[in-house]
Amino acid sequence: MVAFIPLIHDRAVRLTVRKLQAATPLSVAEMQAEKDLLRAEFAMSLRRLEMIVEETKKRRSSGCARSA
């Protein structure tokens, strides 16, 4: 059993290092790309919301015109 402890420890170290490397950005360019992605996602969600508002306004205005 004692002979396996170094192997288990080495594997744990490797997995921890991989996890830490995956969690930290590699470069400034990568951080900028992540910011750009977040901006794009926000812009898309904002546009979707605007389209829903426009559609709702159209429905309400066409509904009011019919009942008047």
Side-chain angles (χ1 to χ4, degrees):
M1 182 66 181
V2 175
F4 291 111
I5 291 175
L7 295 174
I8 294 170
H9 179 265
D10 291 343
R11 184 169 192 276
V13 169
R14 270 195 323 261
L15 293 175
T16 304
V17 168
R18 282 186 200 163
K19 191 181 291 186
L20 289 173
Q21 286 175 341
T24 57
L26 297 177
S27 66
V28 174
E30 189 173 280
M31 286 189 285
Q32 187 63 44
E34 190 172 335
K35 279 184 181 178
D36 291 343
L37 177 63
L38 289 172
R39 283 190 194 107
E41 288 173 348
F42 177 74
M44 289 297 295
S45 66
L46 183 61
R47 181 61 187 139
R48 280 189 209 104
L49 181 61
E50 290 171 346
M51 291 170 58
I52 290 169
V53 169
E54 289 172 9
E55 185 64 31
T56 304
K57 284 181 181 180
K58 285 180 188 177
R59 286 184 189 166
R60 290 184 133 207
S61 65
S62 65
C64 291
R66 282 188 225 154
S67 62

